[in-house]
Amino acid sequence: MNNTKTSPGLLVKFGKNWVVFFLIVLCVLFSFIGKGFFANNTINNILLSSSPALLLAVGETFVIVSGGIDLSIGFVRGMVAVISAIVMRDLYAMGYSAFLSILAGIVIGLLAGLLPGLLSGMLIAKFKVPPFIATLGMYGISNGIAYGLCSGFPIINVPQEAGRLGNGHIHYYFSGLGFSLFNRPPGMLDSQLRNLVRIFPNSILISGLIITVFGYILARTRFGQHTYAIGGNIDAARRAGINVDWHLVKIYVISSFFAALSGVLSVLIFSNGSHTQFSASLELFAVAAVVIGGASLSGGKGSIRGSFLGVLILSVLEVGFLMAGIFAFYRYIAVGSILVLAVIIEQTFPELIYD
Amino acid sequence: MSDENIRKSSGINREWPVLIGKSWIYLFLLGEIVVFSYYGTGFFSAKNFQNVMVNSITIMLLAAGEIFVIISGGIDLSVGFVMGFASVMSAKMMVTFYTLGWNQNLAILMGILIALLIGFLPGLLNGFLVTKMRVPPFIATFGMYGIAYGFSEIISYNVPITKLPPGVGAFGNGYLLYYLPGKLLNWFSQPVGLARAEIRELVPVIPNIFVISLLIIFIFGFILSRTRFGQHTYAIGGNIDAARRAGINVDRHLMKVYMVSSLFASLGGIMYVLRFVNGRADAGSARMLDSVVAVVIGGASLYGGTGSMVGSIIGTFIIAILETGMVNLGIPTFNKYIYVGTILIVAVLIDQLFPELVRRGD
Amino acid sequence: MIEERKPILEVKNIVKRFGGLVAVNGVSMEVYPGEVVGLLGDNGAGKSTLIKVVSGVYHQDEGQVFFKGQEVKINNPMDAINLGIETIYQDLALAENLNVYSNIFLGREKLKKALGCIDVLDHKYMLTESKKVLDRLGIEIPSLKNRIKMLSGGQRQSVAISRSIFWNAKFLIMDEPTAALGVAEQRKVLDLVRTLSAQGVAVIIISHQLYDVFQVAHRLVILRRGEKVGELMTRETNPDEVVSLIVGAELVENSKK
Ligand SMILES: Nc1ncnc2c1ncn2[C@@H]1O[C@H](COP(=O)(O)OP(=O)(O)O)[C@@H](O)[C@H]1O
Ligand SMILES: [Mg+2]
């Protein structure tokens, strides 16, 4: 009697956490194949390489939970990167201080990034355009704008301080000089740079904070609750008096905001604003991460925690491939396959997925 | 009786908008040609229109496959990268066989055949995922988009595949007919032994690859509008349960539909190789959106059940002429993306707001 | 005259349970060729469940189904259709984007040879044949080239019925066929049921409107809480008697006291 009860329970428990197990398996696998997988540097690398995907995935989580999809975020990110880099470069060239130029670049970039979401949200909510079409249209439009502004070349000559901000770390450790916060230990020579231990990138701190806030919003607040309700049954949500249209507009603005944030951060990290046709593959990664994280494409299910795990899996895969000397483009095959697989698992064993 | 009267009287007010709604794409196309001819230089010329033909090939092929999928109620987001995959695959095969010492025509033919054969696979897999695994079409094909892209980069090692046999370009950039005014007419190849002045006067008529593409599209247009296969595609898009109850093997049919789409994407890749004499992973990356837009402009509803091949061809020309015309006027082409995205949204809006205006099905 | 012939459909002791709930409990009934049987009962009495067993949507837990004297196993809707048992659904049956005759021929399109070797759709044949069956059933539709989308609810139902008749359905099941229709359209559908019956087609009709059923049915079968509580010839009964059976005689007597 007892036996029959525990065994399906175990299976469900395993199923619900398959992402975690998969992540562990991947880590173990790569620590065998590649050397130094567990080094501090590698972990920083994983965190760093996951930061753009993570931001995009958080925005996408809101959209997917509400029952939609946003295919425009890769190009919105590129567009914002170009816009904010241009603002920084031009203001700086006009003689404004680096601080002011960077600040203006960030603010204008973020504001410009809200527009695509506002537009697709309106189209979806007010005019009942299917989400993947509205955002596919926005994909074309933001691609065109970005491409027009940069002609396919990265925008350079942004103030140097931008890079320092984006590439800074919270802690530095240098043997002999000890720990320091935010800045390199004073009195260090450039030749000693190689031995400097950097701990926890700034960009991760910023992303982490914002993501925590939005994770809280999705999980704990009425806004989050309504998002789940709309994704679960939009008519019921409407009848319950939720202003569904307005809520959906907000959701797509959130998604766009995260794309913009990731664009701005990319300028701070790489000291340039770059946009290529392959910016579009970023939404593949974001959608894949969200779905791996247990979200249902029919809406109503998903969590920031799950998406976070999804992004980690993809980043571990990327860094692991790199360290194992596997040609980088296998990543696309892996991601495409995992995306499809995750949906199949969700379709076939709905009871196994997070609820 | 009274019912009919109401319909008739309201028909009077409705007739004009409906007529315009039904033929707006032709008017729009005409308008485009008029505007670009007026403002552009040498836009309204045989040479330029042949240019438009060549430029339209990729979109037209991708759209010809996409129309089947969209009418059946799905969407195929993978076509751009499946096209890249086919271009890389066929170029690689051509190079391999050619360096093995094969006759170049044979090497080219083998490259084309192998790419076509393998070109079915992504569609087969998409169809399998959509029908048997119940994966939503835009996700199954989105996954395939990543997979196809990954494979093409791996095959090409992230650089375009070049050093193809010389015959590739000769055929791919050749014309059906060469005409020397008042003197001679030659089929398929440039006549030999002409003086330089004569070569300059030579008028090439209709690009080879355009003819081939159009021929294949014509056959599939026929299949779509005249045969049982086409009829079932419409039925499935209109009401999948009704189609099932009528005894149509819906799963098998959809599988074929996705294979048609990926076959056309592969044809697109092959035509790319013939024209540009190289194969590259991103050959069609920017064209997926164009093809969906061409189909939607052509009157297909993204909810399935309506659309036509002729419409998609007109939609293709609307985009291709926009592109060529903008180059002619010196407008940077990036604007095209903005227009195309906007047209997509506007077309779907019209479909939503005035459904009776856009039923240009058959 | 009907009673002398053999039943076309016979169900014996059908039981269908949903978990602990017995939706249909040991119901037996038969239907003769050309006969219209009204299936009556309150909400949840088990009418839909019973006919879904016959049309292959559900499989019975106990009991047997005989069609034309032979026991049959109906495992899915296609099995039922292949036997000649058609169910008219409100919305499931037609592709709205196709025209009338394409729907009548859906899945069984008539083909002809073009250029001597290519199979193409034979629109002319399908149009004329469809017209014939519609005329035979007295159905008026402005043009058979109209898409279903442009037709009214009653016209759609007529098309669905013509479709099944064209393909030789001998047995029609109609679950609430008039529920979504206007008054004039309801009358047309009832006329159609009479025409079908006169042409030898057997019909089971479920309806909440007693008046409708009394107009067309020869015989009435009444279910209550999954059990058959009455079977009456229409001309030998009256609405009061039927209502008391539907709600339970005790109840009616109680309220009289
Ligand atoms: N699929 C099902 N699952 C569980 N219970 C059902 C199902 N279908 C019907 N029932 C139950 O069986 C009973 C009979 O239902 P139904 O045959 O639809 O009644 P009727 O058509 O006479 O109104 C009801 O109590 C109903 O709730
Ligand atoms: Mg019922």
Side-chain angles (χ1 to χ4, degrees):
Chain A
M1 215 39 212
N2 238 344
N3 245 347
T4 51
K5 263 205 159 174
T6 43
S7 57
L10 258 179
L11 194 71
V12 168
K13 219 168 224 160
F14 176 77
K16 287 197 174 186
N17 293 301
W18 72 271
V19 179
V20 180
F21 287 104
F22 190 54
L23 188 59
I24 295 171
V25 169
L26 275 184
C27 288
V28 171
L29 200 71
F30 284 126
S31 51
F32 275 110
I33 301 173
K35 266 189 209 144
F37 185 78
F38 276 111
N40 174 33
N41 232 350
T42 313
I43 293 171
N44 267 348
N45 271 346
I46 291 177
L47 285 177
L48 258 181
S49 82
S50 62
S51 127
L54 186 56
L55 289 169
L56 296 179
V58 169
E60 192 77 72
T61 306
F62 277 84
V63 175
I64 290 182
V65 167
S66 80
I69 193 155
D70 189 345
L71 296 179
S72 67
I73 50 179
F75 281 151
V76 170
R77 173 185 195 259
M79 181 182 82
V80 168
V82 168
I83 291 176
S84 90
I86 288 178
V87 171
M88 289 182 199
R89 179 193 66 187
D90 290 357
L91 286 183
Y92 195 57
M94 284 154 79
Y96 288 94
S97 76
F99 172 77
L100 206 67
S101 321
I102 293 173
L103 191 69
I106 293 175
V107 170
I108 293 176
L110 288 180
L111 285 179
L114 298 183
L115 287 178
L118 192 65
L119 259 165
S120 15
M122 300 277 270
L123 287 166
I124 291 159
K126 303 283 177 202
F127 296 100
K128 312 286 172 258
V129 174
F132 76 93
I133 289 301
T135 58
L136 199 58
M138 220 45 72
Y139 156 111
I141 294 171
S142 47
N143 182 22
I145 293 174
Y147 204 69
L149 289 174
C150 74
S151 319
F153 298 104
I155 303 289
I156 49 171
N157 293 332
V158 298
Q160 280 189 341
E161 284 77 359
R164 211 168 297 152
L165 194 64
N167 289 312
H169 287 67
I170 298 173
H171 283 298
Y172 290 90
Y173 175 75
F174 188 70
S175 48
L177 293 170
F179 277 102
S180 68
L181 267 178
F182 293 115
N183 274 315
R184 286 184 207 163
M188 204 187 86
L189 303 170
D190 271 358
S191 57
Q192 295 171 318
L193 216 57
R194 193 170 305 170
N195 295 323
L196 181 69
V197 179
R198 303 168 172 85
I199 300 165
F200 217 79
N202 281 344
S203 58
I204 300 285
L205 175 73
I206 299 170
S207 322
L209 273 177
I210 296 174
I211 290 167
T212 313
V213 170
F214 278 84
Y216 178 84
I217 290 177
L218 186 62
R220 294 292 157 79
T221 66
R222 173 186 286 180
F223 185 88
Q225 199 60 27
H226 287 183
T227 309
Y228 283 99
I230 291 172
N233 185 340
I234 193 164
D235 295 320
R238 230 178 229 125
R239 264 182 264 121
I242 298 174
N243 188 341
V244 171
D245 290 356
W246 184 224
H247 193 95
L248 282 178
V249 172
K250 287 187 203 158
I251 297 257
Y252 284 89
V253 169
I254 288 177
S255 167
S256 219
F257 166 74
F258 273 100
L261 190 63
S262 133
V264 167
L265 276 180
S266 81
V267 176
L268 297 184
I269 291 172
F270 301 112
S271 301
N272 67 44
S274 121
H275 170 83
T276 70
Q277 291 309 304
F278 292 103
S279 306
S281 62
L282 283 174
E283 58 244 7
L284 175 67
F285 289 76
V287 172
V290 174
V291 172
I292 292 168
S296 159
L297 285 163
S298 37
K301 272 196 302 185
S303 66
I304 300 292
R305 177 187 100 102
S307 303
F308 178 64
L309 287 173
V311 170
L312 273 189
I313 284 189
L314 298 186
S315 304
V316 166
L317 216 62
E318 181 183 349
V319 174
F321 274 12
L322 217 69
M323 299 187 62
I326 298 171
F327 191 40
F329 291 98
Y330 276 101
R331 190 159 63 101
Y332 285 87
I333 300 176
V335 172
S337 313
I338 295 177
L339 169 63
V340 172
L341 207 70
V343 176
I344 293 176
I345 293 178
E346 195 241 315
Q347 297 274 9
T348 330
F349 313 105
E351 69 280 3
L352 290 190
I353 308 299
Y354 302 102
D355 31 24
Chain B
M1 204 47 206
S2 62
D3 212 45
E4 214 155 274
N5 275 338
I6 292 166
R7 194 161 287 171
K8 258 184 200 153
S9 64
S10 69
I12 295 168
N13 324 334
R14 276 300 192 184
E15 230 165 68
W16 271 107
V18 168
L19 203 67
I20 294 173
K22 283 193 171 163
S23 51
W24 74 269
I25 46 170
Y26 297 96
L27 297 178
F28 194 88
L29 185 62
L30 208 72
E32 263 185 9
I33 295 174
V34 169
V35 167
F36 285 126
S37 306
Y38 185 78
Y39 290 105
T41 41
F43 184 85
F44 198 84
S45 64
K47 184 160 175 254
N48 186 54
F49 282 122
Q50 306 215 62
N51 236 339
V52 172
M53 286 181 196
V54 173
N55 283 339
S56 65
I57 290 175
T58 300
I59 308 177
M60 200 155 69
L61 285 170
L62 297 189
E66 192 79 72
I67 184 89
F68 279 86
V69 179
I70 287 181
I71 288 175
S72 80
I75 192 157
D76 189 348
L77 298 180
S78 70
V79 288
F81 282 126
V82 168
M83 168 175 162
F85 175 66
S87 91
V88 166
M89 200 65 209
S90 63
K92 180 95 176 175
M93 287 298 136
M94 289 177 195
V95 172
T96 310
F97 289 127
Y98 191 55
T99 45
L100 280 177
W102 286 31
N103 165 297
Q104 71 156 324
N105 289 335
L106 202 64
I108 295 172
L109 200 67
M110 278 310 279
I112 292 176
L113 284 181
I114 292 177
L116 281 181
L117 275 180
I118 298 179
F120 277 114
L121 287 180
L124 188 68
L125 212 63
N126 281 336
F128 177 76
L129 292 171
V130 170
T131 57
K132 304 291 179 198
M133 294 285 142
R134 311 259 162 250
V135 178
F138 73 91
I139 287 299
T141 58
F142 200 29
M144 191 53 62
Y145 159 117
I147 295 171
Y149 174 62
F151 271 114
S152 5
E153 287 291 20
I154 289 162
I155 294 170
S156 68
Y157 236 84
N158 196 17
V159 286
I161 294 179
T162 53
K163 303 206 177 76
L164 272 68
V168 173
F171 177 79
N173 293 307
Y175 288 77
L176 195 62
L177 197 67
Y178 291 85
Y179 170 60
L180 197 55
K183 286 180 194 159
L184 88 164
L185 206 69
N186 209 27
W187 289 92
F188 298 119
S189 62
Q190 210 159 314
V192 282
L194 291 183
R196 187 168 294 166
E198 284 175 322
I199 291 186
R200 208 171 299 137
E201 258 179 62
L202 196 67
V203 183
V205 185
I206 309 184
N208 282 338
I209 47 177
F210 181 76
V211 178
I212 297 176
S213 305
L214 207 60
L215 211 69
I216 300 172
I217 288 171
F218 177 79
I219 293 172
F220 277 83
F222 182 85
I223 292 177
L224 184 62
S225 64
R226 294 294 160 81
T227 69
R228 178 179 275 174
F229 185 85
Q231 183 82 345
H232 288 184
T233 310
Y234 282 100
I236 291 172
N239 186 342
I240 193 165
D241 294 316
R244 268 212 183 94
R245 275 175 48 78
I248 297 172
N249 189 335
V250 170
D251 286 0
R252 183 137 45 102
H253 191 92
L254 283 179
M255 214 103 111
K256 288 184 200 158
V257 162
Y258 282 93
M259 273 156 68
V260 167
S261 170
S262 106
L263 174 75
F264 270 106
S266 304
L267 273 171
I270 290 166
M271 295 303 164
Y272 183 93
V273 172
L274 294 180
R275 179 175 165 211
F276 294 102
V277 202
N278 70 59
R280 50 192 302 160
D282 60 350
S285 61
R287 292 305 192 184
M288 176 270 289
L289 182 61
D290 290 348
S291 71
V292 173
V293 172
V295 167
V296 171
I297 294 175
S301 159
L302 284 161
Y303 303 99
T306 52
S308 71
M309 194 62 96
V310 176
S312 312
I313 294 175
I314 302 290
T316 299
F317 281 125
I318 286 181
I319 297 174
I321 287 191
L322 192 70
E323 235 175 72
T324 321
M326 277 165 47
V327 171
N328 186 292
L329 289 182
I331 302 172
T333 44
F334 65 80
N335 282 297
K336 193 211 75 175
Y337 294 111
I338 303 178
Y339 291 133
V340 165
T342 310
I343 293 175
L344 174 66
I345 292 172
V346 170
V348 176
L349 272 181
I350 293 176
D351 191 12
Q352 280 283 359
L353 298 177
F354 315 104
E356 71 275 25
L357 291 190
V358 270
R359 298 289 164 237
R360 287 183 297 275
D362 36 14
Chain C
M1 69 181 185
I2 287 162
E3 284 76 1
E4 285 156 26
R5 283 187 276 167
K6 282 195 169 166
I8 180 166
L9 175 87
E10 195 177 359
V11 298
K12 280 190 183 157
N13 302 318
I14 298 289
V15 177
K16 176 69 196 171
R17 301 184 195 92
F18 293 111
L21 179 102
V22 188
V24 175
N25 195 2
V27 174
S28 302
M29 68 182 284
E30 59 279 334
V31 185
Y32 292 87
E35 188 188 27
V36 179
V37 173
L39 193 55
L40 299 171
D42 208 352
N43 267 334
K47 307 176 299 277
S48 296
T49 306
L50 177 63
I51 58 128
K52 280 178 181 168
V53 166
V54 178
S55 64
V57 177
Y58 298 144
H59 196 260
Q60 73 267 29
D61 295 315
E62 286 168 35
Q64 297 153 294
V65 179
F66 296 87
F67 194 71
K68 293 180 178 165
Q70 304 241 312
E71 180 167 7
V72 288
K73 297 261 177 280
I74 302 174
N75 293 316
N76 56 55
M78 278 323 282
D79 284 354
I81 291 168
N82 290 336
L83 284 170
I85 301 174
E86 284 275 354
T87 311
I88 306 301
Y89 293 95
Q90 292 287 4
D91 52 350
L92 223 67
L94 302 172
E96 295 192 356
N97 57 329
L98 299 182
N99 61 31
V100 173
Y101 68 79
S102 293
N103 267 286
I104 289 178
F105 278 84
L106 187 59
R108 291 173 274 205
E109 292 80 5
K110 168 78 172 146
L111 302 176
K112 66 175 181 193
K113 297 278 180 208
L115 304 171
C117 59
I118 309 163
D119 282 332
V120 297
L121 301 174
D122 190 344
H123 290 281
K124 217 171 115 194
Y125 176 89
M126 294 194 277
L127 179 64
T128 48
E129 287 303 305
S130 302
K131 211 170 234 148
K132 278 187 208 160
V133 68
L134 260 63
D135 286 346
R136 201 178 92 208
L137 298 177
I139 297 167
E140 286 168 31
I141 285 175
S143 163
L144 299 197
K145 288 181 180 169
N146 277 349
R147 288 152 196 275
I148 298 297
K149 207 169 247 145
M150 301 169 65
L151 303 185
S152 69
Q155 287 172 329
R156 288 176 199 212
Q157 200 136 60
S158 313
V159 173
I161 292 170
S162 327
R163 174 182 152 75
S164 45
I165 296 306
F166 185 86
W167 297 103
N168 279 327
K170 286 286 166 233
F171 190 89
L172 272 191
I173 297 171
M174 305 168 91
D175 193 349
E176 304 280 3
T178 55
L181 305 182
V183 179
E185 298 228 285
Q186 289 184 6
R187 214 173 42 229
K188 277 189 186 157
V189 170
L190 295 179
D191 284 344
L192 183 55
V193 170
R194 269 191 224 103
T195 312
L196 291 171
S197 153
Q199 295 181 7
V201 178
V203 179
I204 290 185
I205 182 167
I206 297 178
S207 177
H208 266 102
Q209 273 144 318
L210 271 192
Y211 175 77
D212 288 359
V213 181
F214 265 81
Q215 276 195 315
V216 293
H218 301 111
R219 198 151 48 86
L220 306 173
V221 171
I222 295 122
L223 299 185
R224 177 151 41 94
R225 296 202 195 126
E227 291 178 20
K228 185 160 108 177
V229 293
E231 180 163 2
L232 304 158
M233 297 308 290
T234 312
R235 54 183 142 78
E236 293 165 5
T237 182
N238 57 60
D240 283 343
E241 185 184 7
V242 173
V243 169
S244 69
L245 281 170
I246 290 175
V247 296
E250 328 85 323
L251 232 164
V252 176
E253 273 157 27
N254 283 346
S255 64
K256 272 179 188 165
K257 274 175 194 172

